Amino acid sequence: KDSKFIENLSNSLNMPIIIKNGSMEGNEYSKSSNVENKLRHIRYKLISDEIIDKKINGLLTAHHLNDHAETFLMKISRGAGLDGMEGISPYIKQQEFNNIEIYRPLLEIPKKSLYKLCLEMNVFPREDKTNISNKFSRNRIRNNIIPEFEKINTNFLDSIKRVTDLIVSTNNYHKEDTINTLSTINFMEDKFGLCFNRELFNSLNNFNKKFILNFMVKSKWNINILENKHLNYIIEKSKSSKRNFSLDLPRPLILTATNSTLFIKDLNHINNLELDDELFINNEGEFTFNSLKLTNYYSSNFSEKVIKDIYWSAQVNGDINYYPIKVRFPEYGDKYHVYGEKTSKNLSKLFIEKKIPKEWRKDLPIFETKGKILWVAGLPPAKWAKVDPKSNKVFNLKLLTNNLFK
């Protein structure tokens, strides 16, 4: 009957209509106990597929002020944060469903006003019979809680709208402030996830810490999944004296830490990601190897300190043409004659002697030319390419994303 009602209405307005049927069998939500989520997922999947197929600009929905108020009350009943308390947004880009754009132009209008308009236009809306069942949380809020509030305040829905508008303004202010704060904690983002400086993060107040964590996760993965218990755990462990720790988060995300850096990574992405085995560099400039940013260039500046205290950059003889340079990760059996050593040694042994943390070793890039190792990030450069004091030119190699290894 609902389908026939919509079909007749569309025909009377001379508007095209597409009717499709969906099934919960085989759906990723089929094992969920939340029937509303199951049906929502099926509905939006069908709609988004049709939008993409027909190259439609976006979707208009008829969500109204009552829906907005119900969502707000449901969110606060579940202990939502500030983001959740915004209620329903008038516009979203639904990443879960092919990034379709959804507009809700009726969101500020109460249901009773829309119902009245329909009757004036000789349109008699149908009521979903499940709406009267208090089996669902939303229905209990709609049928029991909101009417009680409206007995106290007849403009209760408008009051909620004013509150959510204030929350949206507050959130927008803090989001702008957060964007400015990200640069102060050395925030970085790549295809693996997020990372930021642990010490600088610890210097912030707890409100900003929680807001930043939620903001970063939502911006990266378009999801609100960090509960207060997760946020408190991250804050507590970040301030602890432990050098390394990890925490499994929803999605699944994983939080890991080194002495000075916190990482939030998407395990699904990491497990499914095909890493580049090698990169060939044929000229000066900046390059990206997986999540690492590298640079190489010739210059006339020689720093004695770089040779003695090498770590994330190297200077070698500038009179040699090293191109093409192959960048790769360490392999079993690698040998390296590092500057300052009498003979070549197994790279694994050098890592131990130079106290390179174990968790870094497999991810440190190796620069190789003409079949010989020129430099391993974290160690001094190769002895065979040492700087010639008589030369007025040096060749520079740098790992720009060295904060990933701190």
Side-chain angles (χ1 to χ4, degrees):
K1 291 182 179 180
D2 290 340
S3 175
K4 192 64 178 175
F5 170 77
I6 296 298
E7 186 177 1
N8 292 337
L9 179 62
S10 298
N11 290 336
S12 69
L13 296 172
N14 197 26
M15 293 180 65
I17 180 172
I18 299 169
I19 298 176
K20 288 194 172 186
N21 295 314
S23 172
M24 287 194 291
E25 294 182 10
N27 185 275
E28 66 177 280
Y29 285 88
S30 60
K31 295 181 181 179
S32 169
S33 60
N34 192 328
V35 176
E36 289 177 310
N37 267 354
K38 294 179 187 179
L39 297 175
R40 173 186 171 278
H41 185 271
I42 294 169
R43 184 167 63 251
Y44 274 98
K45 181 68 170 65
L46 290 171
I47 292 172
S48 65
D49 288 345
E50 197 65 32
I51 284 176
I52 299 300
D53 182 57
K54 297 290 191 298
K55 297 182 179 179
I56 299 171
N57 292 331
L59 170 69
L60 300 180
T61 72
H63 289 96
H64 45 66
L65 185 55
N66 294 63
D67 296 317
H68 178 72
E70 291 164 12
T71 299
F72 170 78
L73 292 173
M74 284 186 68
K75 293 286 188 179
I76 62 173
S77 72
R78 294 171 180 172
L82 285 175
D83 260 1
M85 288 193 288
E86 288 186 3
I88 300 178
S89 173
Y91 165 82
I92 58 169
K93 198 169 187 177
Q94 192 64 280
Q95 190 179 57
E96 183 183 5
F97 302 103
N98 300 316
N99 280 320
I100 62 171
E101 295 185 82
I102 301 176
Y103 301 85
R104 297 165 178 137
L106 308 180
L107 203 56
E108 296 187 8
I109 305 175
K111 179 182 178 180
K112 63 182 181 182
S113 298
L114 295 172
Y115 198 89
K116 180 181 177 183
L117 177 62
C118 287
L119 296 180
E120 290 174 355
M121 302 293 292
N122 290 319
V123 175
F124 301 94
R126 289 184 57 81
E127 188 73 32
D128 186 342
K129 63 181 181 181
T130 63
N131 285 346
I132 62 175
S133 170
N134 286 335
K135 175 182 177 181
F136 305 111
S137 300
R138 181 178 288 273
N139 288 357
R140 291 197 294 274
I141 290 174
R142 176 186 301 136
N143 300 327
N144 300 333
I145 296 176
I146 289 181
E148 288 300 317
F149 275 113
E150 287 182 319
K151 290 177 183 178
I152 300 171
N153 176 9
T154 55
N155 295 317
F156 176 68
L157 296 180
D158 291 328
S159 297
I160 285 187
K161 181 66 172 59
R162 286 195 296 273
V163 170
T164 54
D165 284 347
L166 180 60
I167 292 171
V168 169
S169 298
T170 302
N171 283 344
N172 288 339
Y173 170 80
H174 284 296
K175 285 171 186 174
E176 290 180 13
D177 186 57
T178 296
I179 291 171
N180 295 329
T181 304
L182 290 179
S183 61
T184 69
I185 61 172
N186 293 347
F187 169 77
M188 290 186 61
E189 176 182 350
D190 61 23
K191 56 189 173 183
F192 296 97
L194 313 165
C195 69
F196 46 95
N197 184 280
R198 189 172 175 179
E199 182 180 354
L200 296 174
F201 176 76
N202 289 341
S203 68
L204 303 175
N205 62 57
N206 282 356
F207 178 86
N208 283 340
K209 289 176 186 175
K210 291 182 178 182
F211 201 95
I212 284 174
L213 288 170
N214 273 320
F215 176 82
M216 290 192 303
V217 169
K218 185 177 181 182
S219 299
K220 176 67 176 176
W221 293 288
N222 197 32
I223 47 176
N224 280 319
I225 56 172
L226 292 184
E227 299 176 17
N228 201 49
K229 62 181 180 181
H230 299 129
L231 299 173
N232 287 333
Y233 183 91
I234 295 171
I235 291 170
E236 177 189 348
K237 289 299 180 182
S238 180
K239 291 166 62 178
S240 72
S241 58
K242 289 187 67 175
R243 190 179 179 284
N244 294 289
F245 64 86
S246 65
L247 165 68
D248 288 331
L249 299 170
R251 182 180 164 87
L253 300 179
I254 187 169
L255 175 101
T256 60
T258 60
N259 190 46
S260 62
T261 306
L262 287 171
F263 302 84
I264 300 177
K265 301 177 183 179
D266 185 348
L267 284 181
N268 285 335
H269 196 159
I270 293 172
N271 293 337
N272 296 327
L273 190 64
E274 294 185 6
L275 297 179
D276 298 325
D277 293 326
E278 55 190 35
L279 167 73
F280 286 92
I281 297 175
N282 296 297
N283 53 274
E284 297 180 63
E286 289 189 12
F287 300 88
T288 299
F289 178 53
N290 295 306
S291 63
L292 305 175
K293 290 185 179 180
L294 322 165
T295 188
N296 76 104
Y297 58 93
Y298 286 92
S299 73
S300 58
N301 298 321
F302 170 65
S303 170
E304 187 67 28
K305 181 182 178 182
V306 173
I307 291 295
K308 290 183 176 179
D309 192 24
I310 189 70
Y311 216 69
W312 302 118
S313 62
Q315 288 188 322
V316 293
N317 192 336
D319 294 327
I320 300 175
N321 179 13
Y322 298 100
Y323 302 119
I325 298 172
K326 182 169 80 171
V327 184
R328 62 176 176 84
F329 290 122
E331 298 172 355
Y332 178 78
D334 276 332
K335 287 195 171 184
Y336 184 33
H337 193 170
V338 70
Y339 182 86
E341 297 286 341
K342 293 182 179 179
T343 60
S344 63
K345 295 182 179 180
N346 283 329
L347 188 56
S348 57
K349 185 176 182 180
L350 278 171
F351 281 150
I352 294 172
E353 291 179 355
K354 301 297 182 181
K355 295 182 173 53
I356 301 297
K358 187 176 181 179
E359 66 272 16
W360 298 358
R361 297 172 191 172
K362 64 182 178 61
D363 296 322
L364 290 169
I366 291 178
F367 295 78
E368 186 177 279
T369 181
K370 300 177 177 63
K372 296 187 292 185
I373 294 179
L374 175 62
W375 179 48
V376 179
L379 298 174
K383 184 175 182 179
W384 68 266
K386 68 178 182 178
V387 173
D388 183 353
K390 297 179 182 179
S391 174
N392 61 1
K393 188 165 65 170
V394 294
F395 184 65
N396 301 270
L397 293 162
K398 291 184 179 181
L399 175 60
L400 301 177
T401 46
N402 57 72
N403 63 326
L404 296 178
F405 296 99
K406 292 183 179 179

